[in-house]
């Protein structure tokens, strides 16, 4: 299957074009849809819920977001005249059935670049193409498609800064397109009901406190709110979890409700009319660059999905510690900034980036638990859980990734808390049992004098856990473990 074809010539028939929606749940800036509309033929939009095969099924929190996003897209399509078809089962079988039912002669899609989906889609397209179906794939999800940002010698970048420079200098932003006002669709094609897919929890409804409005309109509103508000002071505030200093665009971007180029364009337009400093717009572009970097790496090094990017790190003597893992997952480690983050994640389906780094470091260094446990927990609990971003960031925090934080730099959860949550607003929101503790002891309650704890109404080990590790000792244990990796490296080099 070609990607980003240069021509959009009209095929010689007037049979419908299937637009296979996946993580591109929007009508504006959607290359597959734009190209399908350009043929002038009827469009059959389809979403296939396929949980088998090589593609990792969405986690529980993501499914909640997906439900809202599909409802929004279905309503937007129906309003324009093209009812969305929902199908459940094997992607290829469902596509073939739909081709049969509608007489479609083409399938257009925006490509997914993670290894499982990439090869599955290529196989499907290959089979259909040999039978005369016109299959076309586009890049609608990344700033640049993997394989187009390469070093001077033609290899993939493994260091972020030169990657970003090459990406921004060498990629022509695509033209922005508005959602079509009307789409010629086909009526009467059988479709599942979204309710039958049970993507959302009911009893218990653990998603009741989730934040964000799934769907393209929600994405556009979030972008506008950010550009008119927090973007002005993004570099300063993006590291402070107690303020709304970031865009909250991550689930919208993951599900493709918003094109990353539109986000960059909106920020640059605000900079061009003096509403925000230019450096802030470029800071957002750089963060979106990290998103591209993550997906490009996973695409080019598929083994990193479950193996250390630097192979010597697979020698790390990870501990088997179910109690420690459970304390981390449930926000009961006794380290307030860690517990606040894990509770924010559980309650809202999202966690602030600074705190993701702190809790990640705590798991792999203080508890010496394999990063894959953390990656799996995040996959299930984040509404923005994303193959590239989640894997790359977990490997970054573990020291095993490309351009990763060195393993020997161990975050101290107390000083991180004191630095980034100095007024305690974040911890007090998510760990309410510590609300009454003065700032001075908030990030290390075990160091507070008994009288202070009593006045704050806290009995350690009863109202709030004692720390599950001594950070100083855990740090030394982590550094000791790192020596195993160095020894493994020595063997590799022998
Ligand atoms: P903003 O600061 O407003 O950033 C704008 C956008 O840039 C984000 O929406 C995101 O798409 C991208 N971005 C920002 N930081 C990063 C980064 N470090 N890496 C890649 N892209 C970035 N992000 C996910 O989208 N999905 C994940 O599954 C995910 N897992 C993570 C796991 C760990 C251990 C860590 C440390 C980070 C993870 N991130 C993940 C990256 C980052 O934390 C989130 O993208 C960010 O917190 C989302 O909030 P925001 O949209 O307000 O970010």
């Amino acid at each position: 299957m070609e990607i980003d074809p240069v021509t959009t010539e009209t095929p010689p028939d007037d049979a419908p074009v299937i637009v296979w929606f996946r993580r591109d749940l929007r009508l504006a800036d959607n290359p597959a849809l734009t190209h399908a509309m350009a043929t002038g033929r009827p469009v059959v939009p389809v979403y296939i819920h396929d949980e088998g095969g090589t593609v990792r099924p969405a986690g529980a929190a993501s499914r909640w977001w997906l439900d809202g996003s599909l409802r929004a897209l279905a309503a937007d399509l129906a309003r324009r005249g093209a009812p969305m078809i929902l199908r459940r089962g094997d992607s290829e079988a469902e596509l073939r059935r739909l081709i049969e039912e509608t007489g479609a002669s083409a399938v257009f899609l925006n490509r997914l670049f993670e290894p499982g989906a990439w090869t599955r889609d290529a196989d499907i397209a290959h089979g259909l193409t040999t039978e005369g179906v016109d299959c076309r794939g586009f890049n609608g999800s990344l700033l640049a498609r993997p394989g187009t940002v390469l070093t001077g010698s033609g290899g993939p970048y493994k260091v972020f800064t030169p990657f970003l420079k090459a990406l921004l200098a060498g990629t022509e932003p695509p033209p922005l397109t508005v959602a079509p006002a009307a789409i010629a669709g086909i009526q009467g094609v059988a479709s599942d009901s979204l309710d039958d897919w049970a993507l959302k929890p009911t009893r218990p409804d653990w998603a009741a406190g989730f934040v964000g409005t799934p769907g393209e309109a929600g994405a556009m509103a979030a972008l506008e709110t950010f550009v008119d508000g927090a973007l002005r002071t993004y570099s300063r505030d993006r590291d402070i979890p107690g303020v709304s200093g970031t865009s909250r665009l991550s689930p919208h971007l993951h599900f493709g409700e918003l094109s990353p180029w539109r986000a960059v364009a909106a920020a640059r337009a605000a900079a061009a009319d003096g509403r925000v400093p230019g450096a802030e717009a470029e800071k957002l572009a750089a963060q979106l660059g990290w998103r591209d970097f993550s997906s490009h790496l996973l695409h080019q090094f598929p083994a990193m999905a479950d193996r250390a990017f630097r192979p010597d790190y697979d020698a790390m003597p990870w501990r088997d510690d179910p109690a420690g893992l459970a304390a981390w997952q449930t926000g009961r480690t006794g380290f307030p900034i860690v517990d606040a983050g894990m509770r924010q994640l559980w309650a809202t389906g999202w966690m602030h980036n600074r705190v993701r780094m702190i809790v990640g470091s705590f798991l792999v260094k203080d508890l010496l638990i394999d990063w894959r446990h953390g990656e799996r927990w995040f996959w299930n609990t984040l509404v923005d859980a994303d193959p590239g971003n989640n894997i790359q960031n977990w490997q970054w925090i573990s020291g095993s990734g490309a351009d990763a934080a060195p393993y020997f730099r161990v975050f101290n959860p107390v000083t991180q808390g004191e630095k980034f949550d100095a007024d305690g607003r974040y911890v007090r929101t998510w760990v309410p049992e510590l609300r009454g503790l003065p700032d001075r002891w908030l990030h290390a309650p075990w160091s507070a004098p008994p009288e202070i704890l009593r006045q704050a109404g806290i009995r350690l080990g009863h109202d709030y856990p004692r720390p599950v590790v001594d950070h100083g000792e855990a740090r030394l244990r982590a550094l000791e473990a790192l020596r195993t990796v160095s020894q493994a490296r020595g063997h590799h080099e022998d």
Side-chain angles (χ1 to χ4, degrees):
M1 173 170 44
E2 281 298 308
I3 193 167
D4 287 338
V6 272
T7 58
T8 54
E9 79 281 3
T10 307
D13 62 27
D14 57 4
V17 179
I18 291 175
V19 176
W20 182 15
F21 282 89
R22 293 95 64 77
R23 292 204 316 262
D24 52 346
L25 305 178
R26 64 176 187 268
L27 301 182
D29 311 311
N30 184 324
L33 178 64
T34 305
H35 283 256
M37 300 276 300
T39 66
R41 298 188 280 155
V43 170
V44 180
V46 63
Y47 183 90
I48 303 170
H49 188 44
D50 178 359
E51 297 205 297
T54 53
V55 179
R56 189 182 192 183
S62 291
R63 288 159 66 97
W64 176 87
W65 191 283
L66 176 63
D67 181 275
S69 199
L70 287 174
R71 282 178 203 279
L73 181 65
D76 289 343
L77 282 165
R79 216 174 296 130
R80 288 168 171 81
M84 180 154 79
I85 313 301
L86 299 173
R87 293 286 169 92
R88 179 163 42 175
D90 175 72
S91 297
E92 178 165 7
E94 290 306 321
L95 278 177
R96 285 178 181 280
R97 196 164 299 147
L98 195 58
I99 290 170
E100 182 96 12
E101 289 167 12
T102 59
S105 63
V107 176
F108 289 6
L109 53 88
N110 295 308
R111 295 220 67 179
L112 299 171
F113 297 101
E114 69 270 20
W118 175 261
T119 45
R120 177 200 63 184
D121 295 348
D123 288 348
I124 293 176
H126 179 73
L128 292 177
T129 306
T130 53
E131 293 161 34
V133 179
D134 175 18
C135 292
R136 300 193 201 176
F138 306 89
N139 167 32
S141 60
L142 296 176
L143 295 172
R145 81 173 163 86
T148 61
V149 185
L150 298 172
T151 62
S153 54
Y157 281 98
K158 296 181 192 167
V159 180
F160 174 69
T161 307
F163 169 84
L164 179 68
K165 221 170 135 205
L167 164 72
L168 293 179
T171 315
E172 186 64 33
L176 299 178
T177 60
V178 295
I183 302 173
I186 295 191
Q187 310 298 319
V189 182
S191 169
D192 282 7
S193 153
L194 202 49
D195 292 337
D196 294 341
W197 291 3
L199 295 172
K200 286 205 298 192
T202 46
R203 273 188 306 241
D205 179 8
W206 41 257
F210 277 22
V211 283
T213 307
E216 188 171 9
M220 294 288 197
L223 177 61
E224 202 178 308
T225 303
F226 176 60
V227 170
D228 292 345
L231 181 59
R232 237 165 304 181
T233 51
Y234 182 53
S235 325
R236 189 192 72 199
D237 291 342
R238 58 183 285 277
D239 257 330
I240 314 293
V243 305
S244 296
T246 69
S247 69
R248 305 294 291 250
L249 288 174
S250 51
H252 299 295
L253 287 161
H254 169 74
F255 284 101
E257 300 165 357
L258 176 72
S259 119
W261 275 118
R262 181 167 287 266
V264 172
R268 286 181 175 165
D273 12 292
R275 283 180 287 141
V276 302
E280 299 296 355
E282 291 317 305
K283 185 72 193 163
L284 178 69
Q287 291 314 111
L288 291 165
W290 269 107
R291 179 174 175 271
D292 261 52
F293 186 54
S294 304
S295 287
H296 286 224
L297 279 173
L298 182 59
H299 182 76
Q300 283 150 337
F301 302 97
M304 73 182 276
D306 49 20
R307 313 271 309 163
F309 181 85
R310 300 166 185 226
D312 18 313
Y313 276 79
D314 275 333
M316 187 67 87
W318 300 116
R319 290 171 59 246
D320 183 26
D321 178 6
L325 180 60
W328 180 81
Q329 289 170 334
T330 54
R332 299 198 53 77
T333 65
F335 288 89
I337 191 82
V338 174
D339 295 342
M342 298 309 289
R343 295 184 196 185
Q344 180 185 32
L345 173 61
W346 184 257
T348 69
W350 184 87
M351 193 199 299
H352 189 276
N353 180 60
R354 167 58 48 182
V355 193
R356 291 188 203 201
M357 293 196 282
I358 298 171
V359 304
S361 175
F362 189 82
L363 185 78
V364 297
K365 296 178 186 175
D366 287 73
L367 293 176
L368 203 59
I369 291 177
D370 193 333
W371 63 270
R372 282 158 276 230
H373 285 289
E375 196 273 336
R376 234 172 284 145
W377 183 256
F378 271 29
W379 182 261
N380 222 12
T381 51
L382 278 171
V383 288
D384 64 25
D386 182 81
N389 280 0
N390 205 28
I391 290 164
Q392 189 280 125
N393 276 286
W394 272 102
Q395 294 230 27
W396 185 89
I397 209 79
S398 302
S400 62
D403 202 5
Y407 187 87
F408 60 77
R409 199 172 294 152
V410 180
F411 278 14
N412 179 327
V414 177
T415 50
Q416 287 283 312
E418 288 168 350
K419 183 166 177 201
F420 295 107
D421 188 34
D423 63 4
R425 203 186 306 181
Y426 183 71
V427 161
R428 289 196 179 90
T429 302
W430 296 108
V431 191
E433 61 269 39
L434 297 180
R435 249 177 220 162
L437 207 53
D439 290 353
R440 181 167 166 204
W441 293 286
L442 186 66
H443 293 287
W446 62 89
S447 67
E451 180 56 17
I452 298 285
L453 286 171
R454 205 186 51 74
Q455 281 168 8
I458 302 162
R459 283 164 300 160
L460 279 185
H462 187 85
D463 305 303
Y464 182 71
R466 293 181 194 285
V468 290
V469 290
D470 175 292
H471 173 70
E473 286 169 14
R475 179 175 170 278
L476 293 177
R477 180 175 65 182
L479 296 179
E480 185 58 33
L482 187 61
R483 284 161 49 132
T484 320
V485 172
S486 313
Q487 280 155 9
R489 187 173 308 138
H491 287 305
H492 280 278
E493 284 164 4
D494 280 346

